[in-house]
Amino acid sequence: MSRLLHISASPRGDRSESLTLARAFLDAYQEAAPGRVVDTFDLWDGSLPAFGPPAAAAKMAVFAGDEPVGEQADAWQAARETFERFDSHDRYLFSVPMWNAGVPYILKQFIDVVSQPGLVFAFDPEKGYTGLLRGKKAAVVYTGAVYGEGRGPAFGNDFQRPFFEDWLRWAGITDVEAVEFRPNLATADADAGRRAAVARARDLGKAF
């Protein structure tokens, strides 16, 4: 049976638009096939390890074919455990609010922790990178309160979806669906857009 992991990058709880849409997706997902396994990884729960000097040194050691030792070995083990939790699922739902035109730093931290040689990618000096997360699929909820397509540069730019989906493809996950909700909350009634986004999330959840 497929195992789905919901990875939440929003710290706003019940006030989060991305989590509201994620709940609509998950409700429909489980209604379509009761008994499906759904796990949640709240990136803000304190369990995500840091990726500082020991972890960076460990990554470069592994890249060079060496074995990390000491605090580098501890950092490498923490990264491996986070990756193994991630890799034990074959379907993913990501809740991704827009922060400063990009993704929340906690999501970038997650990416930096799990994106390790021999785990998420392989590298060949002549052919470059190969993503190792094959046979998996992802759905991504993107939200933003100001930026929106066609609003002009004064409302920001989108470095959120292009960055994140480039990482998914780089990691080997090419089956990707998305839900977007980007109202201009300062000036517009967002209810119609929210209803459309919820409907889209439910449709994706049923078919996932």
Side-chain angles (χ1 to χ4, degrees):
M1 179 181 292
S2 294
R3 289 169 49 84
L4 185 147
L5 179 64
H6 172 212
I7 298 178
S8 171
S10 174
R12 301 190 67 229
D14 291 341
R15 301 187 66 183
S16 168
E17 297 281 10
S18 64
L19 290 178
T20 295
L21 294 173
R23 284 191 291 270
F25 178 103
L26 292 172
D27 286 347
Y29 178 77
Q30 293 186 299
E31 288 166 8
R36 281 173 161 172
V37 176
V38 175
D39 296 325
T40 298
F41 188 175
D42 178 358
L43 297 181
W44 299 96
D45 68 6
S47 64
L48 184 64
F51 195 82
K59 180 173 186 173
M60 298 312 296
V62 172
F63 228 138
D66 298 328
E67 188 73 22
V69 296
E71 62 178 354
Q72 294 178 22
D74 294 339
W76 180 249
Q77 180 62 27
R80 284 191 63 94
E81 289 173 357
T82 305
F83 167 78
E84 288 164 1
R85 177 181 180 183
F86 177 54
D87 189 47
S88 67
H89 300 76
D90 61 349
R91 301 184 184 193
Y92 304 110
L93 172 64
F94 294 89
S95 304
V96 185
M98 178 179 279
W99 282 21
N100 299 308
V103 302
Y105 73 85
I106 200 78
L107 179 57
K108 181 59 166 61
Q109 181 178 334
F110 169 80
I111 289 171
D112 290 339
V113 168
V114 301
S115 296
Q116 304 298 340
L119 304 181
V120 164
F121 69 90
F123 182 77
D124 181 272
E126 295 183 0
K127 298 180 181 179
Y129 292 104
T130 300
L132 300 179
L133 299 182
R134 299 176 182 178
K136 300 175 185 283
K137 61 192 300 185
V140 189
V141 175
Y142 298 104
T143 58
V146 176
Y147 166 81
E149 187 175 352
R151 290 190 187 133
F155 290 87
N157 294 285
D158 183 9
F159 301 107
Q160 173 198 40
R161 182 169 181 174
F163 163 77
F164 189 64
E165 292 190 7
D166 180 75
W167 176 74
L168 289 172
R169 290 190 297 269
W170 174 81
I173 304 173
T174 58
D175 187 348
V176 181
E177 299 282 358
V179 179
E180 291 187 287
F181 179 48
R182 308 179 190 276
N184 185 340
L185 296 182
T187 61
D189 180 355
D191 287 346
R194 185 179 292 106
R195 287 193 297 271
V198 167
R200 165 73 173 161
R202 285 191 57 82
D203 287 345
L204 280 181
K206 289 177 186 176
F208 207 62

